[in-house]
Amino acid sequence: MESNLNTWVVQGMTCTHCASRVQNLFEKQGMKDVHVDFASGEVQFKSEDVKGIDKQVLESGIEQMGYSLAGSEEIEVFWTLKRKLIVSALLTLPLMIGHFLPHDLGSLSFIHQPIFQFILALPVFLIGLSYFGKSSYYAVKAGETNMDVLIFLGSSAAFIYSIIGWIMSNPDMYFFETSSSIITLVLLGNWFEFKSVQQTSTAINSLKSLKVAYAQKLDHLGQYRQVSTHDLRPGDQVRVAMGQSIPADGLALDSEVWVDESMVTGESLPVRKIVGDKVIGATLVHEGILEMKVTALEKDSFLTRMIQLVKDAQKEKPPIQRLADRISAWFVPTVLVISALALVLGYYVMHWGFQHSLLNAIAVLVISCPCAMGLATPTAVMVGVGRMAKKGILTKGALTMEAFAQIEYMVFDKTGTLTDSEKQSIEIVSLDKSVENSYSILLALSEASNHPISKTITHFLQGENVIPLSLNGISEFKGKGVTGKDSEGHIWKMGSKQFTEATSDSNDFAVLLSRDGQIVAGVSIPESIKMGAQDLLLYLEKSKIRTILLSGDQEERVKRVSESLGIEEYYAGVNPEEKLKYMQEWTKKHVTAMIGDGINDGPALGAATVGISMNQSTEVAIQSSNLVLLRPDLSLVKQAFVISKATIRTIRQNLFWAFSYNLVAIPLAAFGYLNPMWGAAFMAFSDLVVIGNSLLLKIKRLD
């Protein structure tokens, strides 16, 4: 049975460990492909059977962790992370000031009194107990360890040791400020982490903000009334005034309007829409009044699929991060062992005294930072995917980026990919004067095809007010042509020379029309090179990536395009099955990308290491491709290369920092060169370095 995708919202999560705990809960209840985004609170998961989800058990587990499920009664409304941080900081500040002041302060000497320090430190410790202690308890209960275990043990050891010193009247054992500063600084780091990760998710937030809340729907009385877009159904008629956003995907019904699609496709100029043209929900009516018919539910709309694609892309982890995850699983137990050794060896072998050895052990606990390793990939991927989305490029995640950055072969389809057809100068030549309805037949067959040339013919003939002839049994053979039968039993074929079985004197035509095997008309379509093609090919040549042109078109036309663009290797007259074989052969030996129209080239795109769909907003394109270009500009492929390489480079930098930091900081703490208070500060700083480096990817110039 196919799994069902579910999305819940959990309130109260503030860090990666919160997300990890929630993910473990869902996985133990049998949920599959669980992904938790602590910044947005969204939990996505799959279940084999929706009825099999025990919501009560999951909700109870979520509440025990201190969170709540959206729609249920919220547990933490007032006592947020920000308020905990403010209270902790206000109480910790006097303790830290007192730590650096001399003991002989006259009237201010009470700052060094244990009762005063205890009164200030106790609320902070209780905040830490509820925040880190609860997390540690549920982690240990589940047989796991996490960052919170280290913080809880370190702060508790300092607090309890201080109480023992108070009882023994030994001022040298007072470390209330250490306990409080550990908790406060880690809370500060978590708050910065939460706010910073929110910044990396702006791509999804920007897309969500495009959704339209209301629409003007035609009711059964012929009146337009305002309804929620959630209530729109396929077939509903909607009116959109100039300057308003289109509420749903649909088809234009009449007149002529201009639509600004820049917020979705990145295309800066308004696009002309006439009767029958597709319109995309969330785009803006620039000029005119649009009457449209809804064709998709909100959940099936192009915008919703874009949002989901970006979400899916941000979940994915490349192999380099999976290695980091495996190391992180052993990280906390290893740190606990090192901390224990610092205490035992420091006291019994190095003879540093118990107090010194204990502080070293605490410093090891609080300076270690598995968070940085956990944040290294998701923050960079979020920014990289978001930057691509803003450019009009949808990618299916970190694996795609990593593969794309290593491409060796780049394979191009020709028609609709490297070339544009000039609709104004299309020419139809009648080759059999006895046939009078060739235009009507051509229109009937071209309307049944999604091939770029077929669309060009359709637009041209519709502009000439041609009426399509009714045909039976129309069938499209991908990459070859379209066939149908008229009322008199004649078999009509529109397509390539091979498909229509034309004679050799038909080489000048892009498309031929035959009746019962006899050629009756030819279509000549002058081609121009698509915008950005030359720039992309120069970039590929400079990057030493081998380029290949793989087309089903006639050899003369393919050769002409390959020569104009400097592509030395080309294959003409190739059908979809042959394209698939070529791609399978190349992909076995090399990291290969293919760019095509996403429909006729579907199998070949799927066989490529990275499949790229040109300017398609169909389910076929999104399913068969790893990258989808939202506007017909091949320079986007170059930008995808550059952003992919920068993203993978940022991930490696983040992981290098995270590993290097821990390799250096933990030994320094173990040998007493860093006290626990500074250790907590450096630990929080380590997270900020990783997040900050990822955020730089958002604004840095990429060449």
Side-chain angles (χ1 to χ4, degrees):
M1 180 183 294
E2 187 177 350
S3 296
N4 298 286
L5 181 65
N6 303 271
T7 302
W8 290 6
V9 176
V10 174
Q11 299 162 326
M13 295 188 292
T14 56
C15 64
T16 52
H17 297 296
C18 301
S20 177
R21 291 164 58 204
V22 172
Q23 180 174 333
N24 290 339
L25 171 67
F26 276 73
E27 288 175 345
K28 287 182 178 179
Q29 291 300 315
M31 305 301 108
K32 307 295 183 184
D33 297 333
V34 182
H35 174 72
V36 184
D37 181 355
F38 75 86
S40 67
E42 283 193 355
V43 181
Q44 288 192 336
F45 61 94
K46 290 182 179 179
S47 173
E48 297 297 330
D49 181 8
V50 176
K51 295 180 180 177
I53 301 174
D54 193 335
K55 188 171 181 178
Q56 189 172 359
V57 171
L58 288 172
E59 186 170 353
S60 175
I62 289 168
E63 288 180 355
Q64 286 180 5
M65 293 178 187
Y67 315 130
S68 62
L69 193 63
S72 62
E73 184 180 353
E74 295 184 28
I75 295 175
E76 292 186 325
V77 176
F78 176 80
W79 203 223
T80 61
L81 172 62
K82 183 177 180 180
R83 289 191 169 96
K84 289 177 180 177
L85 172 60
I86 291 172
V87 171
S88 297
L90 290 174
L91 294 173
T92 302
L93 188 59
L95 291 171
M96 294 183 70
I97 292 173
H99 176 72
F100 293 104
L101 292 177
H103 283 265
D104 186 14
L105 293 173
S107 61
L108 294 177
S109 60
F110 68 88
I111 290 177
H112 295 292
Q113 294 299 313
I115 181 64
F116 176 76
Q117 294 187 11
F118 175 77
I119 290 172
L120 291 179
L122 180 60
V124 180
F125 178 71
L126 293 176
I127 289 173
L129 187 65
S130 84
Y131 190 81
F132 302 111
K134 188 180 290 185
S135 169
S136 302
Y137 170 75
Y138 285 109
V140 173
K141 186 179 179 181
E144 302 166 352
T145 53
N146 60 28
M147 174 74 182
D148 291 348
V149 173
L150 304 180
I151 302 305
F152 174 69
L153 289 176
S155 59
S156 297
F159 188 77
I160 293 169
Y161 186 68
S162 300
I163 292 176
I164 294 172
W166 181 17
I167 294 172
M168 296 174 61
S169 299
N170 184 352
D172 293 334
M173 295 174 64
Y174 299 167
F175 291 100
F176 288 112
E177 83 287 341
T178 299
S179 173
S180 297
S181 63
I182 289 171
I183 293 169
T184 301
L185 288 169
V186 175
L187 286 175
L188 178 64
N190 283 356
W191 185 75
F192 275 129
E193 177 184 328
F194 177 70
K195 300 300 289 185
S196 299
V197 171
Q198 279 187 322
Q199 290 295 313
T200 67
S201 302
T202 52
I204 290 178
N205 295 333
S206 297
L207 289 172
K208 284 182 176 179
S209 69
L210 296 176
K211 287 191 173 183
V212 182
Y214 299 101
Q216 295 295 322
K217 174 188 167 184
L218 185 68
D219 63 18
H220 65 285
L221 299 175
Q223 301 292 323
Y224 284 96
R225 60 185 180 88
Q226 183 171 285
V227 298
S228 169
T229 52
H230 298 299
D231 298 328
L232 292 178
R233 297 291 179 267
D236 288 346
Q237 185 170 333
V238 171
R239 173 182 288 171
V240 188
M242 186 170 66
Q244 293 184 344
S245 295
I246 298 172
D249 291 358
L251 297 174
L253 291 179
D254 60 11
S255 69
E256 175 183 310
V257 296
W258 292 82
V259 177
D260 179 359
E261 297 183 341
S262 60
M263 64 281 292
V264 174
T265 66
E267 178 61 61
S268 58
L269 297 175
V271 180
R272 176 174 174 257
K273 301 291 182 180
I274 59 174
V275 179
D277 282 350
K278 290 182 180 179
V279 292
I280 304 171
T283 57
L284 186 73
V285 176
H286 184 267
E287 185 177 332
I289 297 176
L290 174 67
E291 297 282 352
M292 60 170 284
K293 180 175 72 174
V294 176
T295 57
L297 295 170
E298 184 182 38
K299 66 182 181 66
D300 301 320
S301 70
F302 176 62
L303 181 63
T304 300
R305 285 186 284 121
M306 275 184 64
I307 292 171
Q308 189 57 50
L309 192 63
V310 174
K311 285 181 180 179
D312 291 343
Q314 292 181 349
K315 297 178 193 176
E316 206 172 49
K317 295 180 180 180
I320 190 172
Q321 177 63 27
R322 292 174 187 168
L323 173 63
D325 289 345
R326 288 196 293 272
I327 294 173
S328 295
W330 291 94
F331 185 85
V332 174
T334 302
V335 170
L336 290 172
V337 170
I338 294 174
S339 177
L341 287 174
L343 175 62
V344 173
L345 296 179
Y347 183 71
Y348 290 105
V349 178
M350 305 302 294
H351 304 293
W352 287 337
F354 184 77
Q355 177 181 311
H356 188 183
S357 301
L358 177 63
L359 286 178
N360 291 351
I362 293 172
V364 169
L365 292 175
V366 299
I367 202 169
S368 55
C369 188
C371 291
M373 286 184 279
L375 290 168
T377 289
T379 53
V381 169
M382 283 179 183
V383 175
V385 168
R387 187 159 180 173
M388 279 197 183
K390 285 188 174 181
K391 296 286 186 182
I393 310 162
L394 296 184
T395 177
K396 290 190 176 177
L399 288 176
T400 296
M401 287 182 170
E402 189 166 39
F404 201 52
Q406 300 169 7
I407 289 297
E408 300 169 280
Y409 278 28
M410 187 76 189
V411 181
F412 294 90
D413 177 42
K414 182 183 76 69
T415 307
T417 301
L418 285 175
T419 62
D420 269 325
S421 297
E422 299 176 4
K423 301 171 187 174
Q424 306 92 321
S425 56
I426 183 173
E427 183 180 0
I428 301 175
V429 179
S430 179
L431 302 175
D432 187 340
K433 302 299 182 182
S434 65
V435 178
E436 298 178 352
N437 59 353
S438 58
Y439 278 29
S440 297
I441 296 294
L442 273 171
L443 181 55
L445 295 174
S446 66
E447 285 181 334
S449 172
N450 280 311
H451 193 278
I453 290 180
S454 296
K455 290 182 177 180
T456 299
I457 295 171
T458 299
H459 275 284
F460 175 79
L461 292 175
Q462 286 177 343
E464 296 293 317
N465 297 317
V466 175
I467 305 299
L469 192 69
S470 178
L471 298 178
N472 299 316
I474 295 180
S475 299
E476 181 181 11
F477 297 83
K478 297 294 185 185
K480 298 177 182 178
V482 186
T483 183
K485 182 188 290 187
D486 64 21
S487 59
E488 297 178 3
H490 296 298
I491 302 297
W492 294 87
K493 289 184 177 181
M494 182 193 79
S496 65
K497 175 181 174 181
Q498 293 82 359
F499 182 69
T500 56
E501 301 173 346
T503 56
S504 58
D505 59 354
S506 306
N507 291 333
D508 292 334
F509 298 106
V511 172
L512 293 166
L513 177 68
S514 70
R515 183 182 67 178
D516 298 331
Q518 297 296 317
I519 302 301
V520 299
V523 182
S524 177
I525 307 175
E527 292 180 309
S528 61
I529 301 301
K530 191 177 285 288
M531 180 171 57
Q534 197 70 60
D535 185 37
L536 171 60
L537 285 157
L538 287 172
Y539 174 81
L540 295 174
E541 182 182 0
K542 184 179 179 181
S543 302
K544 297 186 175 4
I545 296 172
R546 182 176 173 183
T547 55
I548 302 170
L549 179 53
L550 190 64
S551 175
D553 206 348
Q554 301 166 14
E555 182 163 357
E556 292 83 356
R557 299 168 68 87
V558 175
K559 182 180 179 181
R560 193 182 308 131
V561 171
S562 64
E563 288 177 347
S564 68
L565 289 171
I567 301 175
E568 296 181 359
E569 187 174 356
Y570 68 89
Y571 300 84
V574 183
N575 63 39
E577 292 79 11
E578 291 169 332
K579 283 187 178 182
L580 175 59
K581 289 180 182 178
Y582 276 118
M583 290 307 305
Q584 288 173 333
E585 181 181 338
W586 291 327
T587 305
K588 283 180 183 177
K589 302 175 183 177
H590 304 279
V591 184
T592 306
M594 180 182 178
I595 179 167
D597 63 21
I599 299 174
N600 299 335
D601 299 315
L605 287 171
T609 311
V610 178
I612 308 169
S613 175
M614 274 297 298
N615 195 30
Q616 294 290 330
S617 58
T618 65
E619 197 65 41
V620 175
I622 292 177
Q623 291 299 327
S624 61
S625 305
N626 306 98
L627 282 173
V628 179
L629 309 184
L630 297 180
R631 66 178 192 270
D633 182 358
L634 284 172
S635 66
L636 293 180
V637 180
K638 174 184 172 182
Q639 294 184 43
F641 267 114
V642 173
I643 296 173
S644 294
K645 290 179 180 179
T647 301
I648 299 304
R649 186 164 60 247
T650 300
I651 292 172
R652 288 173 179 157
Q653 290 169 350
N654 288 349
L655 289 173
F656 176 79
W657 163 260
F659 285 124
S660 300
Y661 163 82
N662 284 294
L663 284 174
V664 173
I666 292 175
L668 287 176
F671 286 99
Y673 292 106
L674 288 170
N675 65 41
M677 186 164 56
W678 283 108
F682 287 135
M683 186 277 296
F685 176 72
S686 178
D687 281 359
L688 294 180
V689 168
V690 168
I691 295 170
N693 190 43
S694 295
L695 287 173
L696 279 177
L697 178 61
K698 194 174 182 180
I699 59 173
K700 69 168 62 170
R701 179 179 176 180
L702 303 179
D703 295 323

